[in-house]
Amino acid sequence: MKISRILSLCAVLLMLLETQGCGSAPEPAMLNAGIQKTYADVIIGFAQLGAESEWRAANTQSIKETAELLEIELRFMDAQQKQEKQIEAVRKLIIQKVDVIGLSPIVETGWDEVFQEAKDAGIPIILVDRRAAVAEDMYVAYLGSDFLEEGRNAARVMAQLMNGQAKIVELVGTINSAPANDRYEGFREVLKDYPGMEIIASESGDFTRARGKEVMETFLNEHGSTITAVYAHNDDMALGAITAIEEHGLKPGVDIKIVSVDAARVAFEAMIAGKLNATIECNPLLGPQFFELALKVINGESVPKWVPSEESIFFPDNAAEILPTRKY
Ligand code: GYE
């Protein structure tokens, strides 16, 4: 055995003795001090929230594909859109003693207890995609988008499209989820500067195409052609709205302008068909950044509290050119 390895083992032993003396559980990063783990040495858990949208499908694929590529042992759980199931999934991962838990919390609140359980077990949590309303020391990092800015951008783009005059209906994402909360708030923040832009109805379509269509049908039945614009918190709901508008005998993208969030391939197809006017990018391809962060955490390296994803805005004029380059 090399001297350096013996020294690091001694350091680990010393640390163990010290931490046990204080009566608190040793942090896994401390245990590994000096011994650099590789992807092949670790088991990573991921508690996904469900499979509600194109975005989610791409996100799940990115996580699974990256794990395979890096030969990481991944324990992947799907909570099927239910917080109880997601909490249960985290508990299972704790029992399985994974090295890190990645979690996309379906809603923002109600996480304190299970986060505390993970902390007590010495298993760090990385928030992926969505934030949770817990104290900062309950998770090691948040990897994901600036949803507030996405909401602001949607409002800026819509104000331009509508020359500052609009009767807007809003399709909100999953109630109490971080992206729905922030896209709602960011949009309104910018709209304050445009007195001619009025939100006449706002309801949740739960980020799905089916609910987006249903809610848009109700909006159309209640407000008819008073509606001049739709703000959808994701592309799937925008696509549902497009169908509802067509069935109502109006032209989506022309009679009613539509701005959504995500920039999935389906949004580019809708823009090419002239039925969607803009999509604000939200990047789901978080697999590579997630595992890189996880390994750093396991090896005790410091990581930023928030790792933002890089994003842009897309319009119909070059949608056909860009579509082949889109990975989701
Ligand atoms: O925009 C939506 C999905 O959390 C950013 O969830 C994600 C959102 C995404 O269902 O399509």
Side-chain angles (χ1 to χ4, degrees):
M1 199 184 276
K2 278 191 186 155
I3 292 196
S4 61
R5 187 154 169 81
I6 295 171
L7 282 177
S8 49
L9 277 177
C10 290
V12 170
L13 274 175
L14 264 177
M15 237 177 253
L16 257 174
L17 286 174
E18 262 172 41
T19 44
Q20 276 172 2
C22 306
S24 66
E27 294 280 335
M30 291 169 79
L31 289 179
N32 293 326
I35 307 168
Q36 288 292 304
K37 289 204 176 184
T38 68
Y39 288 128
D41 307 320
V42 298
I43 303 176
I44 305 214
F46 198 92
Q48 181 59 288
L49 65 89
E52 75 288 4
S53 63
E54 299 279 335
W55 192 100
R56 191 66 49 203
N59 181 246
T60 292
Q61 198 187 349
S62 169
I63 289 153
K64 288 186 173 169
E65 261 177 22
T66 313
E68 238 183 87
L69 196 83
L70 299 173
E71 295 178 8
I72 293 170
E73 187 172 341
L74 172 69
R75 306 273 166 87
F76 187 90
M77 312 263 181
D78 178 348
Q80 296 162 342
Q81 250 67 42
K82 295 202 177 58
Q83 185 175 28
E84 316 86 74
K85 283 203 170 184
Q86 210 173 13
I87 291 176
E88 215 178 278
V90 174
R91 292 203 166 119
K92 281 188 186 145
L93 294 169
I94 295 173
I95 293 168
Q96 292 177 23
K97 295 192 167 59
V98 296
D99 294 294
V100 166
I101 295 174
L103 170 70
S104 292
I106 176 137
V107 290
E108 288 206 68
T109 51
W111 295 104
D112 294 302
E113 207 178 315
V114 78
F115 273 55
Q116 188 60 52
E117 288 166 23
K119 194 167 199 194
D120 292 344
I123 302 176
I125 291 181
I126 297 179
L127 294 172
V128 181
D129 155 37
R130 296 187 184 177
R131 293 182 323 271
V134 292
E136 275 217 347
D137 62 338
M138 299 306 283
Y139 63 94
V140 277
Y142 164 58
L143 163 65
S145 308
D146 186 343
F147 302 133
L148 262 179
E149 189 59 13
E150 290 169 356
R152 291 186 198 112
N153 279 334
R156 288 176 189 127
V157 164
M158 190 168 274
Q160 272 239 307
L161 262 173
M162 307 300 298
N163 284 323
Q165 296 294 323
K167 298 265 188 255
I168 307 161
V169 294
E170 180 183 30
L171 293 165
V172 175
T174 299
I175 303 267
N176 192 24
S177 68
N181 286 345
D182 291 1
R183 288 171 190 168
Y184 181 99
E185 202 185 313
F187 191 75
R188 281 162 180 74
E189 201 183 296
V190 169
L191 238 54
K192 279 196 197 114
D193 301 333
Y194 297 91
M197 309 263 300
E198 193 196 339
I199 302 169
I200 58 170
S202 170
E203 215 186 287
S204 172
D206 209 14
F207 280 132
T208 69
R209 200 181 285 211
R211 279 296 294 151
K213 179 169 182 270
E214 275 170 31
V215 175
M216 190 65 208
E217 276 161 5
T218 345
F219 287 162
L220 284 161
N221 289 336
E222 279 168 20
H223 305 277
S225 49
T226 316
I227 304 167
T228 59
V230 174
Y231 166 40
H233 286 197
N234 80 345
D235 292 336
D236 298 70
M237 292 190 296
L239 287 160
I242 286 173
T243 313
I245 294 168
E246 283 174 334
E247 285 177 8
H248 203 80
L250 293 167
K251 277 192 163 173
V254 181
D255 298 328
I256 299 180
K257 304 271 198 258
I258 310 173
V259 174
S260 66
V261 187
D262 277 356
R265 291 179 67 91
V266 284
F268 283 81
E269 283 157 11
M271 287 198 290
I272 293 167
K275 298 177 181 180
L276 178 71
N277 304 87
T279 182
I280 316 295
E281 187 178 29
C282 179
N283 184 9
L285 308 176
L286 303 175
Q289 273 173 296
F290 167 60
F291 290 112
E292 196 187 321
L293 259 176
L295 194 64
K296 280 189 178 161
V297 169
I298 292 167
N299 281 326
E301 286 176 45
S302 70
V303 294
K305 207 74 202 185
W306 178 23
V307 182
S309 7
E310 273 181 26
E311 280 145 12
S312 149
I313 304 176
F314 299 100
F315 297 94
D317 46 1
N318 57 354
E321 205 178 297
I322 293 174
L323 177 60
T325 68
R326 298 300 291 170
K327 295 202 174 61
Y328 68 97

